[in-house]
Amino acid sequence: MVDSVTPDAGFALTLASAQAGDEPAIVVLYRAYNPALLRFFAVQAPRVKEDLAQEVWAAVASSLTSFEGDEGRFRAWLFTIARRRSIDYWRLVRRRPPEASDELIDFAQAEQPDDLAIRAAVSELTAGLTAEQAEVVLLRVVAGLSVEHVAAIVHKSPGAVRVIQHRALRRLAQLTDRVVTP
């Protein structure tokens, strides 16, 4: 076990220590990747972003010892779990009839100013895009995943992901031109 794990100690060492149950290493992973998870969920399911992020970490904790791969694969694995949790959440919401207590939940989960700024920035980034384009842009930009990792997550070829990303960026450029030029 490693007595003191720091972010620059290297991902492989940190991962190995975390897999061995070293708490400081687990904290390093959490601190390194949880902010990106929260940004992802701020768009996907803003009301329950913290809950979904915790579900992701619970899933990671239960199968961390069997994970094999480098930092890129870890990030892709983490966001694959996140995407599945988001999909599961929305399936559950669609099946559940609205309740009167939902208003209380909304009030209790009122967002902090930082949350609003993050949501506004990401919403502005993805405004005018299709759901598919927005998802690819979020996974590439917010999550920082490679084309290959995004392709595996969304079950498309890397070429298809590149095309979706290209179209999304072209669309964003068109929207930006309209805003900048009267």
Side-chain angles (χ1 to χ4, degrees), residues 4-28:
S4 156
V5 178
T6 61
D8 26 24
F11 178 79
L13 176 62
T14 303
L15 177 64
S17 296
Q19 288 174 320
D22 186 37
E23 255 184 71
I26 295 168
V27 169
V28 167

Side-chain angles (χ1 to χ4, degrees), residues 115-167:
D115 294 339
L116 294 174
I118 290 169
R119 279 188 66 195
V122 175
S123 293
E124 189 173 321
L125 174 68
T126 58
L129 300 179
T130 67
E132 180 179 61
Q133 289 172 338
E135 182 175 37
V136 167
V137 168
L138 284 172
L139 290 171
R140 291 281 290 134
V141 176
V142 175
L145 297 176
S146 70
V147 169
E148 291 75 20
H149 288 134
V150 173
I153 291 170
V154 299
H155 306 292
K156 296 197 180 292
S157 71
V161 168
R162 284 185 190 95
V163 168
I164 293 166
Q165 180 180 343
H166 174 75
R167 288 180 180 159

